[in-house]
């Protein structure tokens, strides 16, 4: 059964979130599996311990070479800074669940395809490629009907470009955020504070690697989706957008609207990767994805048939 975005969020309890983020989400999947934070999670869960916020919580960086032979800088957060951020995100999880409900309840299909979720037989709450997409649905087939163009776009250096003050802008609006920007007691400002503490108190950029960063990015990008989904048919894989348009004019309008909405949160399109494709195109990728997600006994994937 297909689920709404907010239903995935509501399925996660505060306890699930804390265990998933701290116990299993401190290290990126691409980092060699020689570390574990389960002992840290057990200690913090049993003791309730947290650390005072300091400005010298630095992360450790690690270069991961991608398939395109371009390195991506992954980060391992300072344990104290990460514990503090995870604990606070769990404390305000009901507020965040309500936020995601308000921003996504009107979507005809789930726009964001990669986000935190509970998984079968795993305590992790995030991974880049999910093995079973039935709960997500397959909207591409429906939204491509009648389309003459497909637009591919992504955000330029998304995580390194996120402005931490924009978290508050997304959560409560620019006006309220600006009015209360110095009030450290506001729950939305505290997210900013704990996120900055992960990176030497810098306001620009969040770490690539810890699973909490995906949650932070979704706060901002779901606000962008809220502004666009009533006009355009598209899906988003973290910071990669695929929009189906009926005319060349609509493709240009989508790119302009997306660029304008992103700029409101301090983000920008990567124009070098922007692509407009005339339809029809071969649909192999779409039907292979659907078939590979069909879980039948004694079957093999389509890729194994080659």
């Amino acid at each position: 059964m297909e689920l709404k975005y907010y239903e995935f969020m509501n399925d996660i309890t505060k306890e699930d979130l804390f265990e998933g983020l701290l116990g299993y989400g401190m290290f990126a999947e691409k980092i060699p599996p020689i570390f574990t934070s389960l002992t840290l999670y057990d200690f913090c869960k049993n003791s309730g311990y947290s650390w005072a916020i300091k400005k010298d919580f630095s992360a450790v960086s690690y270069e991961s070479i991608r398939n395109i032979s371009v390195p991506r800088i992954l980060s391992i957060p300072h344990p104290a800074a990460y514990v503090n951020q995870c604990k606070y995100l769990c404390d305000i999880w009901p507020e965040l669940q309500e936020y995601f409900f308000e921003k996504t309840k009107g979507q005809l299909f789930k726009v964001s395809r990669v986000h935190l979720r509970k998984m079968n037989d795993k305590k992790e709450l995030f991974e880049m490629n999910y093995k079973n997409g039935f709960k997500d649905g397959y909207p591409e087939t429906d939204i491509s009907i009648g389309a003459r163009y497909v637009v591919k776009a992504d955000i330029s250096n998304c995580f390194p470009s996120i402005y931490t003050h924009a978290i508050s802008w997304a959560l409560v609006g620019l006006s309220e955020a600006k009015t209360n920007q110095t009030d450290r007691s506001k729950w939305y400002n505290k997210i900013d504070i704990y996120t900055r503490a992960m990176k030497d108190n810098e306001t620009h950029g969040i770490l690539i690697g810890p699973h909490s960063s995906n949650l932070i990015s979704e706060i901002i990008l779901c606000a962008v989706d809220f502004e666009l989904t009533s006009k355009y048919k598209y899906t988003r894989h973290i910071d990669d957008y695929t929009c189906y348009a009926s005319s060349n004019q609509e493709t240009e309008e989508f790119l302009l609207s997306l660029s304008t909405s992103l700029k409101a949160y301090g983000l920008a399109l990567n124009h070098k990767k922007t692509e407009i494709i005339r339809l029809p195109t071969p649909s192999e990728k779409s039907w292979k994805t659907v078939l590979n997600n069909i879980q039948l006994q004694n079957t093999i994937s389509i890729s194994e048939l080659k």
Side-chain angles (χ1 to χ4, degrees):
M1 182 182 68
E2 296 181 20
L3 299 180
K4 299 283 189 179
Y5 183 98
Y6 63 82
E7 291 178 310
F8 281 94
M9 297 297 108
N10 290 343
D11 194 34
I12 301 171
T13 66
K14 294 171 66 172
E15 293 74 21
D16 294 332
L17 187 67
F18 190 54
E19 183 176 15
L21 292 183
L22 182 56
Y24 296 89
M26 186 171 175
F27 305 105
E29 297 171 51
K30 297 294 184 181
I31 292 177
I34 58 175
F35 305 107
T36 179
S37 55
L38 281 173
T39 303
L40 178 63
Y41 161 72
D42 289 335
F43 169 74
C44 293
K45 177 185 176 183
N46 294 327
S47 67
Y49 192 82
S50 60
W51 284 263
I53 297 177
K54 297 182 179 180
K55 293 184 179 181
D56 56 352
F57 283 151
S58 299
V60 175
S61 297
Y62 169 83
E63 263 193 9
S64 175
I65 303 298
R66 292 180 282 181
N67 295 335
I68 57 176
S69 299
V70 176
R72 167 172 289 178
I73 305 299
L74 303 178
S75 296
I76 301 174
H78 190 290
Y82 192 59
V83 167
N84 287 346
Q85 187 197 44
C86 290
K87 288 189 69 173
Y88 190 69
L89 289 173
C90 294
D91 288 342
I92 61 163
W93 186 232
E95 286 87 345
L96 291 179
Q97 288 174 316
E98 178 63 24
Y99 169 78
F100 287 124
F101 171 76
E102 291 296 333
K103 292 301 182 185
T104 65
K105 65 181 180 181
Q107 293 179 359
L108 298 178
F109 56 88
K110 190 165 66 69
V111 172
S112 177
R113 316 302 293 172
V114 182
H115 53 77
L116 266 63
R117 67 181 68 197
K118 291 184 74 171
M119 290 179 276
N120 294 332
D121 304 320
K122 295 182 72 173
K123 296 295 183 66
E124 290 88 345
L125 294 177
F126 179 78
E127 60 183 26
M128 288 297 296
N129 298 297
Y130 300 105
K131 296 179 180 179
N132 190 337
F134 286 125
K135 291 184 178 180
D136 296 82
Y138 304 100
E140 292 84 0
T141 301
D142 291 331
I143 64 178
S144 64
I145 294 175
R148 297 179 61 190
Y149 298 89
V150 60
V151 184
K152 301 283 188 178
D154 74 358
I155 300 172
S156 181
N157 296 313
C158 182
F159 281 26
S161 298
I162 286 178
Y163 185 46
T164 62
H165 293 341
I167 302 169
S168 300
W169 302 351
L171 287 170
V172 297
L174 182 60
S175 178
E176 181 175 345
K178 289 284 189 180
T179 299
N180 299 306
Q181 61 183 344
T182 60
D183 188 345
R184 295 171 64 92
S185 69
K186 296 294 185 182
W187 68 274
Y188 46 85
N189 286 335
K190 286 185 178 181
I191 301 181
D192 180 1
I193 293 169
Y194 285 117
T195 301
R196 277 188 279 129
M198 299 264 288
K199 197 181 175 190
D200 289 318
N201 208 38
E202 294 179 10
T203 57
H204 279 87
I206 61 175
L207 302 182
I208 300 176
H211 292 179
S212 64
S213 291
N214 180 265
L215 179 57
I216 296 298
S217 70
E218 283 292 292
I219 291 173
I220 296 174
L221 297 182
C222 278
V224 173
D225 292 335
F226 180 74
E227 299 171 10
L228 300 178
T229 48
S230 63
K231 288 188 63 177
Y232 305 104
K233 298 176 180 179
Y234 69 91
T235 58
R236 173 173 60 82
H237 288 72
I238 303 184
D239 62 340
D240 291 325
Y241 295 80
T242 302
C243 177
Y244 294 88
S246 59
S247 66
N248 189 56
Q249 179 179 345
E250 187 179 357
T251 67
E252 295 175 354
E253 290 174 352
F254 170 72
L255 289 172
L256 178 59
S257 297
L258 177 58
S259 179
T260 301
S261 296
L262 290 173
K263 284 180 181 178
Y265 297 98
L267 299 171
L269 282 179
N270 185 343
H271 293 290
K272 291 182 179 179
K273 290 187 177 182
T274 299
E275 186 178 10
I276 299 175
I277 304 168
R278 182 69 181 262
L279 295 175
T281 61
S283 58
E284 177 188 87
K285 182 178 180 180
S286 177
W287 65 259
K288 282 176 62 176
T289 300
V290 174
L291 290 181
N292 275 330
N293 276 310
I294 297 177
Q295 296 186 345
L296 299 176
Q297 291 184 345
N298 302 319
T299 62
I300 59 176
S301 69
I302 298 299
S303 59
E304 292 177 302
L305 295 175
K306 294 187 175 180

